[in-house]
Amino acid sequence: MTYQFQNPEQAVIFDYLKKAKTIAVVGMSNKEERSSYLIAAGLQKNGYRIVPVNPLLAGQTILGEEVYANIKDIPFHVDIVDIFRRSEFLEEIAQDFVETDADVFWAQLDLQSEAAESVLRQAGRNDIVMNRCIKIEYAYSGLAH
């Protein structure tokens, strides 16, 4: 049987978005046509602070924000870690995530990993969303201006 992650109730997902102020975007591209860039730009326009995370672009600036190599390098609190990396990278990102004080682990549409879920749950980190687009959830949440 294929692994299928169980997301929290819709109201909980909306609550994550309502409470969040800072969103780290793992795998963010500096190419304006890429979905990671477009979604981050949209979230930023709606009042979120975006923190780009991409080791190949570390030290550069995207959307006016410094790019970090790893979520563990971010020197301030992050509410949501939104991931645009292939599913096989999610376990490694989950291992980094548990070493931070970030609140919500969020893997974009079509991304999920049983190993990542296991790492997070074993660390007592249960605020997990996978296989959901943060921009779509935001649009449905009623928070958009």
Side-chain angles (χ1 to χ4, degrees), residues 17-33:
L17 292 168
K18 197 182 325 177
K19 289 179 179 170
K21 293 181 178 27
T22 305
I23 301 174
V25 182
V26 177
M28 185 161 170
S29 177
N30 58 358
K31 295 180 175 78
E32 294 182 20
E33 69 278 5

Side-chain angles (χ1 to χ4, degrees), residues 7 10 13-14 17 35-36 38-40 43 82-84 106-111 129-141:
N7 275 302
Q10 196 66 52
I13 292 174
F14 292 162
L17 292 168
S35 58
S36 62
L38 292 166
I39 289 171
L43 291 168
D82 185 24
I83 303 151
F84 286 86
W106 190 308
Q108 278 294 127
L109 205 54
D110 297 327
L111 303 178
V129 177
M130 289 200 250
N131 192 19
R132 290 282 182 92
C133 175
I134 198 167
K135 186 177 181 190
I136 292 170
E137 297 301 324
Y138 182 78
Y140 288 138
S141 72

Side-chain angles (χ1 to χ4, degrees), residues 82-98:
D82 185 24
I83 303 151
F84 286 86
R85 300 277 326 270
R86 292 192 314 268
S87 292
E88 62 261 31
F89 296 108
L90 292 179
E91 180 180 10
E92 179 185 334
I93 296 165
Q95 290 167 348
D96 291 342
F97 180 90
V98 300

Side-chain angles (χ1 to χ4, degrees), residues 37-48 50 63 138 145:
Y37 184 97
L38 292 166
I39 289 171
L43 291 168
Q44 188 181 59
K45 279 187 187 115
N46 281 285
Y48 293 100
I50 297 303
L63 294 171
Y138 182 78
H145 336 356

